Amino acid sequence: MLTSEFFFKFYKVNIVIEKDEDSYYAYSPELPGCQSQGDSLEEVTSNIKEAVEVYLETLSESEKQELLNKEILTMTLEFQVA
C-alpha cells in the first residue's frame, strides 16, 4: 500500500516592520519584493507570513539557499545632532 507523506522544511526569514501614522508596512530584506501591509501589528504579521510562504513556494531549493544564506544584522544607534 502506498502512502503519501509530506515533508516540510522550516526556514528563518528576517522581517522588518515599520509603522507610519495610519498602518504598518513589512518586508523581508532577503526576499526582494516580498512585502505586505496591515492596519495593526497583528494584521501585518499575518499578512507578511502569508506573503513569505507564497514567495518561498515559487523558488527552487537552490534559490532558497542562495537568498536565505545572507547574514542580516540590525542595530539601533543614537546620534546627537547640533
Side-chain angles (χ1 to χ4, degrees):
M1 180 173 163
L2 296 175
T3 60
S4 175
E5 293 185 32
F6 293 95
F7 297 98
F8 295 100
K9 284 192 170 186
F10 292 90
Y11 299 96
K12 288 186 178 182
V13 178
N14 291 290
I15 303 297
V16 176
I17 299 176
E18 299 176 6
K19 183 177 184 335
D20 65 19
E21 293 177 10
D22 302 317
S23 61
Y24 293 84
Y25 167 71
Y27 65 94
S28 172
E30 294 130 319
L31 305 175
C34 187
Q35 54 195 356
S36 192
Q37 63 181 22
D39 292 330
S40 67
L41 185 57
E42 294 78 21
E43 182 179 19
V44 76
T45 301
S46 175
N47 291 347
I48 195 64
K49 283 181 180 179
E50 181 180 356
V52 168
E53 288 171 357
V54 171
Y55 193 107
L56 291 175
E57 288 173 358
T58 68
L59 301 176
S60 69
E61 192 58 38
S62 63
E63 289 171 319
K64 290 175 194 170
Q65 293 304 317
E66 180 183 335
L67 290 171
L68 299 177
N69 265 338
K70 296 178 183 174
E71 183 176 4
I72 305 287
L73 305 173
T74 62
M75 65 176 60
T76 301
L77 299 174
E78 273 187 44
F79 295 91
Q80 183 176 10
V81 181

